[in-house]
Every structure is written in structure tokens, then in C-alpha cells.
Amino acid sequence: MPDRPLSVTLREVARAAGVSTASASRALAHSDRVSVELRGRILAAAERLGYAPNFAARSLAARRSGLIGVMVNTLAEPHLADTLTALERRLAAAGYGLVIVAPQGASGPSLTRALQQLLGRGAEGLVLADTAHARELSPVLRARRLPWIAMADDALGGELAIDGGRRRGAELACRYLLDLGHRRFGVIACDAATAAGVVDALPGGVVAGTAPVQDGDAAQAAMQRLLDQQDRPTAVICDRDLYALAAVRACLGQGVSVPSAVSIIGFGDADFARRAVPALTTLRIASAAVGEHLAASLLACLEHGTPPPGFVTPIKLVVRESTGPAPR
Amino acid sequence: MPDRPLSVTLREVARAAGVSTASASRALAHSDRVSVELRGRILAAAERLGYAPNFAARSLAARRSGLIGVMVNTLAEPHLADTLTALERRLAAAGYGLVIVAPQGASGPSLTRALQQLLGRGAEGLVLADTAHARELSPVLRARRLPWIAMADDALGGELAIDGGRRRGAELACRYLLDLGHRRFGVIACDAATAAGVVDALPGGVVAGTAPVQDGDAAQAAMQRLLDQQDRPTAVICDRDLYALAAVRACLGQGVSVPSAVSIIGFGDADFARRAVPALTTLRIASAAVGEHLAASLLACLEHGTPPPGFVTPIKLVVRESTGPAPR
DNA sequence: CTGAAAGCGCTTACAG
DNA sequence: CTGAAAGCGCTTACAG
């Protein structure tokens, strides 16, 4: 380890410019509260010395961290990457950084530790990507008066919430398929709530079967079961493109053609959706727009304390090759 | 804003336990440098008051942040999510947090600002996911004596580096295809260097064409061109599963069957690879293992100052339906 | 083993 | 507009 400090401090900049650290600090933060002349000298000195502020010191003194906390279940969730990239960029432009934690499971010590990390780092706002986390933490967050947004379909009792678009997506998909003449539907979804959301969007009595499913294998098996039913569905709605792909594979494996015998629709417009054979009809979400909205909402809360205007996840149906008219 | 502080400080814990803040601090950090009796009182008080340490203050006083910086080009890179999730978990268990930045582009003000963020937050070690970033920053990182790892194929002049496995993957793929009798190869890769790596793994004169490609559309077009050649390849190696899928689609669109006329091999074993029709033969990387290795390496450097033992990315060939014997 | 004290690098009332 | 000073919440030599 070298003896001299690796980084230049404000004090050194101030000395080089022949001013107090107070002025140096002001020149850097509020350029208008210092004369142009001083400011010039200070900025030049900072530049020349390669000054980089120490955020920990700044946090401590200013009582704000400039950090937004993000809690995810896993970063591997489809679309999360795009959303977070957009969030990070928008926040960085406003001078905020991102701390990300990924607790294992929706409760227990790992969750607690993750929250401690975020709180201990002084996060000024939180983004909760996982509904279960949001549900678990909402009381303590409320008590702390910390602005937070859950990326979830339901509003979790009035907090900022961003709707994932699944419900509206379900409506779009159902309307489209009904128009094509389909009357027997299957639903393959991650959880029962989502499946129920789809069922709600359908006229009574038209559902052939629903299957909550956790991975591609389960989705494929679920499709298999749907095909074995006597009153087999002619259209299957999946809440992930991966499940739709698995469903297609199950059909083709049985010699059931897609879309002439069964129409299949996915969710998300993942990168592979348009390149699959048949290319997947799916619901596309503007993930980057979601990230930007998250950022804008949080910033609005932090700066004016006002909750942001409502946001409706941009979503649209992309019709490709995996859907068609109902067989007669 | 409520007047009373939202969070409990060490001083309050110390007072509640009837000890000095020095002892309280020691009880929390080095449990062995304080008597069992005091420790009991202090821990109980901390628990009772719901004490959560202020990391900014801790950073400042201890001159270490407990933070590892991660710089990515985009979080949407395949496998990065799994790698980072594993990295985060392993690091969290060791008491370290993660700061992530995503500068736009490989140089310029955005890169500078991103680095400032990481440095300013006191990152004790860095993970650079993007080769271009690593190349650009390596001099300044070296000067700062900051431990860092690049997730790149080349070692960038001796720093810690983790090989992405592409080169070894290329060898595995080539050997397999050569054994199947293929003699004319196509290569569809993100950049010329990767393509060259594949070509190196092939005996001279067996390459029909290579195409550097940036997205799925380009991959599909590249496959198209390969098919139009008079001496069309019988095997195509792609450096992403998405490109392989696009290549398959191009073939099927021309009535060229896969794998009987053309074998296609991907890279990464993305979630969709096994569900595509035909299911993709591909090279699988253990992304979580990579994340764990990154964490272990950095921790080793931080704790003992010793560079970690070499690491070879676990990679293996997964044979599925998109490859077969060369047509005669 | 324990505590009083100094100090980490900043920001921000408070005077002038 | 500018500066001297206090203080943010911790950790860590330094004495005892």
C-alpha cells in the first residue's frame, strides 16, 4: 500500500484554489452560491487535481445518500434487465446510484439482511421487483416513510405501484382469440392469481383448463395434459414466451399442428419469440419505458414529494405465426 | 418529515447498554475483543432498539466501503443475470454489497462518470463485464491498485481475468462437428475476434464463410448469405443461441432441413434452446459458477491480497436436435 | 477488557 | 459572497 492517499480530497482542492472547503463544496454543488471568479478557480483546481468526491462523507454530512435500492428475486427474470438498465441510466443522469440486492426467498433472515443493506446504505427510495417481497415489506416501509415502488399487478394498498401489464395483456389476448372464433381456452401461468386474471377476461364457461407452472418442463407437461383432455382447448394463453415455446413443442411432438389445430400465445416478446418456428404471437411490453417510469416516479417523489401520475405499462399484441382462426 | 431520527445510532445502543460507543462498535464487529458480559448487554440493546448500522459512517471511519463495483454494458447480456445473482449472494454472505453501473458506450463522459461513481462510493474491487470497458480502464485501475476482474476471453495484460469460455467452446464444437464428418463450416459471431477464434480451432481451408453480426436480424441475413453460396457450409457455428435460432429459421424458410442438410450449433444454452424445434445443440456455461468464482477471487484478493487460483469456465457441449452427420 | 478522544471527508447553518 | 466551526455516525489507535 502506498503511503500517500489514493484520492484527492476537497480540502486539497480548496487549498490549491486558496479558498475554504465550504466554498469549494458550494462551488461543486450549488454553483450559484459562489462568485464566478471563485468558482472558476475551484473548478479548475478540482479538474487539475483529478478530484473525485467521497460519497460516504457526502452522505454522512448531507444526510442523503443519492442511492436508490433495488430488490429483486432474481436478475434472471425476463425483461428485468432491460428495465433496470433504463432505470440505472435515467437515475445516473439525475445523480443517483443504484444498489441491488437479491435475497433468497420472500422472507426470513436473507430478506432482513437485504433490507438492512438497503437501509444501511441510506437508500432514499426503493424499487421492489418481486410482489412477494413487496407484500412482506410494505408495513416496515410505510413506517419508515420511504418512497417505494412495487413492480406488481396489484397496488398493495395504495403505495406507488406499477402494473406489470399482465391483466391488460390478458384482455388483449382474449379479445383477439375470441374474435378468431376460439371458444375453448387453456391457460398456462406462473401462479394461480395470474391464471385467474386471464380467466376473468374470458366469458364464462369457455375455459378448458388452467395450470400454474414454475418452469419450462412444467409448462410442457401442462400442455401435454391439455392435449389429452377430451374437450381439448383450441387456444392456449401462456404468461411467458418460454412457456409458449414449450407448449408449441408439446403440440408438435404430438403431431398437433400450430396454429391450425391449436393457437398459442405468449407474453413478453422475448428475443427468441420472433425467431422461433412458428414465430410466436405474443404481448410485447416496453421494458425500457417501465424502467424510465420507475425512475421518473421515484425522482418526482424525492424532489417534490408528490406521487407521480399514474402509469399504464405500454403493452401491445404482436401477431405472428403461432395463432390463427379456430379450427371448425 | 418527523423530527426524531428515523434510525437508531450506535450511540443510543451504547447508552442503553451503559457502555462507550467504542465497546459497542467492538461488540458488533469483533466479538472477541469485548467481554462476554458486555457483549451480551450490547447485542441485546441493539436487538431491542432495532439498530441498523449506517454504512456511510462506517465506510468513512474504517476507510473501507464493503462495496464491490460492477460495470456492465447492458444487463440484458445473456447469462449475466445468473452470474450477477450468484456474485451478489456470495458477496452478501461475506458482508459485501454490490454497486452496479451501466455506462453507455465504451468511452467518453458516460464511462468516466460511471467510474467516478464506483470509485466515489469506495468500491474495493471491480468486476468489468465488458471487454471494451476493461481495455479502456485498465491503465487507471492499475494505477489505483484496485483489484479488478474482467470477464473477457483475453487476459488484458495480466490482470485477473476470467475467460468467457468462448475459445474452448469453439474447440469443443469444432471437434464434435468434424467427427460427424463436416468439412465446410460457417461462423456467425458477434465480433471478428470471436469468429477468428473459431476459425483457429478448425483445420485450414475448411471455412466457407464468417459473418460478424450484432443482432438476430443480422444473424438471419448472414445465414441467408451462407445458404446462397455455391459451396454452402454443412455446419454453422453461432456464438449465441439466439443467432443459432435465427439461422435455423433462415434454413427452414428456404426449405433447407436442419440437421439433415445443415447442422447448427449455438452457444450459451439459453432457456429457450432446449424448447425450440428443433431443440438446439449448444455449449452450456455454468453461469452461476462463474459468478461464484468472481466473488471468490475478489474476496481472496481483498482478504489475503493473493491473486486467486486460475479458473476455467465450466463449459460443455449439449447435443440435441439441431446437429447431425454431414450429408454425403 | 474498556473508555475518552481524535478523525474519516464532507455539508451547512451561522456570522460577518 | 465567504469562512470558521460544528457535526454527520461510525472506527481505531492510544492509554489505562
Side-chain angles (χ1 to χ4, degrees), chain A residues 79-130:
Chain A
H79 290 272
L80 196 53
D82 289 329
T83 301
L84 291 186
T85 301
L87 177 72
E88 195 277 341
R89 294 215 165 122
R90 187 88 175 57
L91 250 24
Y96 282 86
L98 229 55
V99 227
I100 302 186
V101 293
Q104 315 211 43
S107 60
S110 177
L111 213 219
T112 309
R113 217 177 37 196
L115 183 64
Q116 296 267 9
Q117 274 283 331
L118 262 21
L119 263 24
R121 304 246 172 238
E124 297 175 40
L126 258 41
V127 174
L128 303 183
D130 190 87

Side-chain angles (χ1 to χ4, degrees), chain B residues 89-147:
Chain B
R89 294 218 164 119
R90 187 87 175 60
L91 249 24
Y96 283 87
L98 229 55
V99 228
I100 301 185
V101 293
Q104 315 211 46
S107 59
S110 178
L111 213 219
T112 309
R113 219 178 36 196
L115 183 64
Q116 295 267 9
Q117 274 284 328
L118 262 22
L119 263 24
R121 305 244 171 241
E124 297 175 41
L126 257 39
V127 175
L128 304 184
D130 190 87
T131 311
H133 293 159
R135 220 180 292 283
E136 182 80 12
L137 297 177
S138 92
V140 13
L141 264 21
R142 221 183 309 253
R144 288 201 167 245
R145 296 155 169 279
L146 205 61

Side-chain angles (χ1 to χ4, degrees), chain A residues 10 22 25 51 58 61:
Chain A
L10 225 214
S25 174
Y51 172 70
R58 185 175 276 185

Side-chain angles (χ1 to χ4, degrees), chain B residues 138-164:
Chain B
S138 92
V140 13
L141 264 21
R142 221 183 309 253
R144 288 201 167 245
R145 296 155 169 279
L146 205 61
W148 61 281
I149 304 190
M151 294 172 63
D153 276 309
D154 39 59
L156 294 173
E159 266 74 22
L160 290 178
I162 189 168
D163 113 72

Side-chain angles (χ1 to χ4, degrees), chain A residues 183-186 208-209 223-236 251 254-257 261-262 327:
Chain A
R183 290 299 176 268
R184 287 196 311 283
F185 293 83
M223 184 70 224
Q224 205 72 256
R225 259 176 280 122
L226 251 23
L227 289 176
D228 292 344
Q229 280 182 202
Q230 44 195 32
D231 232 19
R232 138 197 320 178
T234 64
V236 177
C251 288
Q254 298 289 288
V256 173
S257 97
V262 175

Side-chain angles (χ1 to χ4, degrees), chain B residues 222-233:
Chain B
M223 184 70 225
Q224 205 72 258
R225 257 176 283 123
L226 251 23
L227 289 176
D228 292 344
Q229 279 181 203
Q230 45 195 28
D231 233 20
R232 135 195 326 176

Side-chain angles (χ1 to χ4, degrees), chain A residues 25-313:
Chain A
S25 174
R26 280 190 284 255
L28 264 24
H30 325 275
S31 52
D32 52 319
R33 286 186 219 166
V34 92
S35 67
V36 269
E37 198 248 311
L38 270 206
R39 182 151 75 94
R41 292 221 309 270
I42 296 165
L43 262 31
E47 171 77 10
R48 177 156 37 86
L49 299 178
Y51 172 70
N54 177 324
F55 288 89
R58 185 175 276 185
S59 277
L60 194 57
R63 280 96 169 263
R64 44 174 309 258
S65 64
L67 245 26
I68 298 296
V70 178
M71 189 180 288
V72 302
N73 179 11
T74 160
L75 286 168
E77 190 68 17
H79 290 272
L80 196 53
D82 289 329
T83 301
L84 291 186
T85 301
L87 177 72
E88 195 277 341
R89 294 215 165 122
R90 187 88 175 57
L91 250 24
Y96 282 86
L98 229 55
V99 227
I100 302 186
V101 293
Q104 315 211 43
S107 60
S110 177
L111 213 219
T112 309
R113 217 177 37 196
L115 183 64
Q116 296 267 9
Q117 274 283 331
L118 262 21
L119 263 24
R121 304 246 172 238
E124 297 175 40
L126 258 41
V127 174
L128 303 183
D130 190 87
T131 311
H133 292 158
R135 222 181 291 284
E136 182 81 11
L137 297 176
S138 93
V140 12
L141 264 21
R142 221 184 309 254
R144 287 201 169 245
R145 296 152 170 279
L146 206 61
W148 60 282
I149 304 191
M151 295 172 62
D153 277 308
D154 39 60
L156 267 356
E159 266 74 22
L160 290 178
I162 190 168
D163 113 71
R166 279 188 152 61
R167 190 146 315 210
R168 220 145 30 74
E171 286 166 21
L172 284 175
C174 291
R175 192 173 326 139
Y176 163 71
L177 292 168
L178 286 165
D179 286 353
L180 283 173
H182 293 276
R183 290 299 176 268
R184 287 196 311 283
F185 293 83
V187 179
I188 298 177
C190 294
D191 54 72
T194 305
V198 178
V199 173
D200 285 352
L202 292 166
V206 299
V207 179
T210 73
V213 126
Q214 289 302 335
D215 58 41
D217 283 339
Q220 204 159 326
M223 184 70 224
Q224 205 72 256
R225 259 176 280 122
L226 251 23
L227 289 176
D228 292 344
Q229 280 182 202
Q230 44 195 32
D231 232 19
R232 138 197 320 178
T234 64
V236 177
I237 297 175
C238 304
D239 81 336
R240 286 200 188 188
D241 285 339
L242 185 65
Y243 300 168
L245 196 66
V248 167
R249 192 170 164 87
C251 288
L252 301 185
Q254 298 289 288
V256 173
S257 97
V258 177
S260 49
V262 175
S263 282
I264 294 178
I265 196 164
F267 186 93
D269 197 18
D271 53 8
F272 61 82
R274 79 185 59 190
R275 322 230 169 255
V277 180
L280 263 29
T281 293
T282 187
L283 291 147
R284 176 192 300 166
I285 286 193
S287 321
V290 172
E292 273 160 28
H293 171 71
L294 289 170
S297 299
L298 245 14
L299 290 173
C301 263
L302 293 172
E303 281 158 26
H304 332 303
T306 60
F311 176 73
V312 179
T313 306

